[in-house]
Amino acid sequence: MKHFTFAFVLFMLGVSILGCAAPVSQPTAAPSVCTLRLATTTSTYDSGLLDAILPDFEKKFNCHVDVVAVGTGQALEIGSKGDADVVLVHARAGEDKFVKDGFAQERFDVMYNDFVLVGPKEDPAQVKRAQSAQQAFKLIADSGAPFASRGDKSGTNSKELSIWASAGITPTKGMKWYNALGQGMGETLLASNEGKFYALTDRGTWLSMTAKLPNLEIVFGGNTIDENPDKHLHNPYGVMAVNPDKFSGINAAMAKNFVQWILSPATQERIGAYGKDKFGQALFYANAAK
Amino acid sequence: MGESIFQLRAIVKQYDARTVLHLDALDILQGEILALVGPSGAGKSTLLRLLNFLEAPTSGQLVYRGVNTARENIPLALRREITTVFQRPVLLNANVRANVAFGLQLRGASANGVVGKLLTRVGLQNFAHASARKLSGGEMQRVALARALAIEPRVLLLDEPTANLDPYNISLIEEIVRAQNRERATTVVLVTHNIFQAKRLAHRVGLLLNGQLVELRDTAQFFQSPQDPRTAAFVRGEMVY
Amino acid sequence: MDDITRGLAQALELILSGDAALFEIVLLSLQVTGAALALAMLAGIPLGAALGLGRMRAQGLVTIFLYTGMGLPPVVVGLFVYLMLSRSGPFGSLAWLFTPSAMIVAQVIIAFPVVAGLTMTAVQAVDPQLRLQARALGATRIQEMWTVLQEARIGVVAATVAAFGAIISEVGAVMLVGGNIEGKTRVLTTAIVLNTRTGDFALALALGMILLTLTFLINGAMLQLQRVRDG
Ligand SMILES: Nc1ncnc2c1ncn2[C@@H]1O[C@H](COP(=O)(O)OP(=O)(O)OP(=O)(O)O)[C@@H](O)[C@H]1O
Ligand SMILES: [Mg+2]
């Protein structure tokens, strides 16, 4: 009579014991128990950069790096709550505030990549003749050609808004041609491909997705970082070790090692080389101060 | 038949301030078959619920085997001496065998051998593995009776146990009840709308009307020389409402 | 269309090749969801039964809370759990954030109202006379509850299946509190999001199909258990 329920409860209990036991057993399976938690933006992780460079760190310091890849805003938030040991992001204003508020002692330049403006191959707004990003945006607004904004307060989104501001334009809901999607970069590019929108994107995402975006091409920003005519489109990444005085449990020593390591010439060289074999060009430009 | 097994004094049962049962005094004797008759809504089923301790009276004294249930909690062992076959039997969604074994299982007792014998007794020997939910009304009622007998109760409360049955099965059930009472001295309280059944089975018969006990006498006297005019009318089959 | 066929092919290929990373992700998905479901059942079934039997004081209020909980967006649950488990939150010292434990906590909160609410409904649907019948046959209060629960088992299994479906496919909360850390907190759903984000649609689809197959098999097993019992 009760066999069924009994068996069922037993089964679920068994699973739950497994579930609880597994996380405990995992650290013992790995050779080291040291972990460093890195909060970073999706671009560094999704581009494959971290997978390419982190094993060197893990081997050198015998310490596993847990990468939490989220939006820039969220990564800074995680850091400011003491839930990460190191933060690697691209949002200069946010980073400076992070340091000013005492969540980190110092911020270091690590590398930069750049943004490009993509749009329909026909280029209805004739953006290709623009000399600067500011001018390109003006041309789009004047022609009323549709533009897709991520609209998600990401680093890319805030960059886009700052360019609009420099062009003296404030995008509003009322503008028919302006579409704030509230989506990630990939989704925004896909939507732009379908709807023939202009959009601002980081070069890494663009390169990794071009095959899926047959209707789009780069209309401003050049084919490589070096060819980008507008330095304002550079997208600098900074690294910060979270201040251990603010929270307990921060792996401060290892965080310091990490900062030193990522700024070291050997790592910088690897960062600068990443992507050459896959995309034929580098995705990041290492620029740590010597 | 000897001393009383139940003593009810000034029992009142109310639902939302409506009195549905009001008994000044009722004694149920050890080893008797007591039939309760009366029109629909008279309070017969309510009385059985009180006797099985499924509900407590609103006021009054209900004594079972010396334990005053108004003052102290009835011990589980005493409570388990009593069981009811309800007017509308409810069976578990399981096979017939599991249903008959249910009471024993609650007591942690083995049902081996018992179930088969009981099923044969109620004429359902081929139904052990049938799903209880697919039985006919009469079959369900017989399973419910077998389930009650399985725990060998000291007191068996039957609420219209033959309401859904054909004449053959009625006499089968009546014979089982009679045998149970005779061989095991089981006290039986039988609620029935069938006055002939009361006549055939009961030692004593009581008439309940509007929650009150109008008359309670030996069966022969109840039918041949009723004291109360309402009993006389009821026995003659006339309206008494 | 191309992506769909490639996704199917890749799913088969991944499964057949016994990919270690995939196995790890699948195992963690099952462990986290299994543990969360077991805990939600442990707490939710008794509460649902008590509510269904009308044995609670603030019955109406609790019911409203449960029904509201069933409609709670998982991301909100995730955010709440995040703030609780953050080093600057009240339970920071547990160091559960970005571990499977945090994911289990979030999933328990999502699954619990589903289990409790649907169990309550199932128990309420059982013939109230059955309780009386069980008591008349000598059941104690606990046996009485157990009997009713047994009768409601089809509904209780349905509650479990619904809760399982809600959490195995859930992504917002586990992403937030687990962090989708490779080899540690990456489960099927967060891996799907990652691969969608990076444009690996075929792989994302392949993982989706594996998730679907897994859910199908487990639901099948749960229903089979129920059928075996019913004879
Ligand atoms: N739980 C309850 N709440 C409110 N009223 C009730 C309840 N149970 C019974 N009653 C009322 O008590 C009265 C007596 O009911 P009871 O079931 O005892 O009658 P009965 O003599 O068994 O009738 P029948 O021959 O139709 O079965 C009826 O008026 C019924 O409506
Ligand atoms: Mg009745």
Side-chain angles (χ1 to χ4, degrees), chain C residues 50-227:
Chain C
L51 283 170
L53 293 171
R55 306 190 60 110
M56 296 271 303
R57 261 160 198 277
Q59 174 108 20
L61 200 67
V62 177
T63 307
I64 292 173
F65 270 116
L66 282 183
Y67 285 167
T68 310
M70 285 164 86
L72 215 54
V75 183
V76 174
V77 174
L79 198 56
F80 172 77
V81 173
Y82 181 98
L83 294 173
M84 287 293 124
L85 295 180
S86 165
R87 275 189 185 138
S88 48
F91 299 103
S93 56
L94 289 174
W96 277 9
L97 194 64
F98 300 132
T99 69
S101 301
M103 299 158 82
I104 292 171
V105 171
Q107 290 201 343
V108 167
I109 295 177
I110 297 167
F112 171 75
V114 179
V115 174
L118 295 184
T119 298
M120 176 183 78
T121 319
V123 166
Q124 277 168 346
V126 173
D127 190 339
Q129 279 281 320
L130 180 77
R131 290 168 64 192
L132 225 52
Q133 180 70 75
R135 196 124 50 90
L137 284 162
T140 60
R141 291 277 170 191
I142 290 174
Q143 285 177 325
E144 191 184 316
M145 261 179 91
W146 184 247
T147 304
V148 173
L149 213 52
Q150 282 277 328
E151 282 298 291
R153 66 186 172 272
I154 294 178
V156 175
V157 170
T160 308
V161 169
F164 172 77
I167 56 178
I168 188 88
S169 64
E170 187 284 319
V171 62
V174 289
M175 182 69 109
L176 209 61
V177 304
N180 190 27
I181 298 170
E182 189 179 9
K184 229 169 218 176
T185 58
R186 184 162 300 165
V187 288
L188 277 167
T189 52
T190 58
I192 289 169
V193 169
L194 173 66
N195 286 299
T196 307
R197 206 165 70 195
T198 55
D200 287 328
F201 288 176
L203 182 56
L205 211 59
L207 292 171
M209 285 171 193
I210 290 168
L211 177 64
L212 209 67
T213 311
L214 221 66
T215 312
F216 179 83
L217 289 177
I218 289 174
N219 282 341
M222 288 204 239
L223 292 176
Q224 196 53 44
L225 267 170
Q226 176 187 311
R227 194 149 325 126

Side-chain angles (χ1 to χ4, degrees), chain A residues 175-191:
Chain A
M175 299 177 178
K176 271 226 165 65
W177 54 273
Y178 188 83
N179 307 289
L181 302 184
Q183 300 254 35
M185 196 70 254
E187 291 89 336
T188 303
L189 284 175
L190 287 170

Side-chain angles (χ1 to χ4, degrees), chain A residues 102-124:
Chain A
F103 294 118
Q105 258 140 16
E106 212 177 335
R107 174 206 176 272
F108 300 95
D109 279 328
V110 176
M111 60 194 186
Y112 63 81
N113 64 357
D114 63 340
F115 292 108
V116 293
L117 187 63
V118 298
K121 290 203 162 120
E122 309 82 71
D123 192 17

Side-chain angles (χ1 to χ4, degrees), chain B residues 41 43-46 49 87 159-160 191 193:
Chain B
K44 305 181 297 292
S45 298
T46 303
R49 285 198 297 276
Q87 199 166 355
D159 201 344
E160 297 179 37
V191 167
H193 280 295

Side-chain angles (χ1 to χ4, degrees), chain B residues 30-190:
Chain B
Q30 191 127 23
E32 76 168 332
I33 298 180
L34 170 66
L36 290 173
V37 295
S40 183
K44 305 181 297 292
S45 298
T46 303
L47 176 56
L48 292 195
R49 285 198 297 276
L50 297 188
L51 294 178
N52 206 162
F53 310 116
L54 302 177
E55 284 172 24
T58 310
S59 67
Q61 241 189 30
L62 173 57
V63 180
Y64 174 68
R65 298 228 290 149
V67 178
N68 186 346
T69 59
R71 252 185 266 127
E72 40 192 315
N73 266 336
I74 180 99
L76 184 62
L78 272 193
R79 184 157 77 75
R80 283 185 167 173
E81 293 179 357
I82 309 169
T83 192
T84 308
V85 175
F86 289 94
Q87 199 166 355
R88 179 173 68 82
V90 183
L91 300 182
L92 302 172
N93 186 7
N95 65 22
V96 167
R97 154 171 268 287
N99 268 283
V100 175
F102 182 51
L104 290 171
Q105 186 206 321
L106 290 173
R107 287 159 176 75
S110 160
N112 284 345
V114 181
V115 175
K117 247 180 254 164
L118 282 168
L119 284 178
T120 308
R121 224 170 139 192
V122 297
L124 292 173
Q125 56 277 17
N126 297 326
F127 284 73
H129 298 289
S131 165
R133 284 285 160 94
K134 293 184 182 128
L135 299 179
S136 73
E139 286 161 352
M140 282 194 196
Q141 220 155 12
R142 283 184 281 158
V143 171
L145 180 65
R147 177 171 67 181
L149 294 179
I151 63 174
E152 301 193 13
R154 188 187 288 270
V155 180
L156 180 60
L157 308 173
L158 303 172
D159 201 344
E160 297 179 37
T162 58
N164 297 318
L165 296 181
D166 58 284
Y168 170 77
N169 278 301
I170 291 178
S171 63
L172 180 88
I173 298 289
E174 286 180 3
E175 198 39 57
I176 291 170
V177 172
R178 201 176 285 123
Q180 188 75 17
N181 170 260
R182 199 183 311 124
E183 288 157 22
R184 317 218 174 189
T186 306
T187 306
V188 177
V189 180
L190 169 74

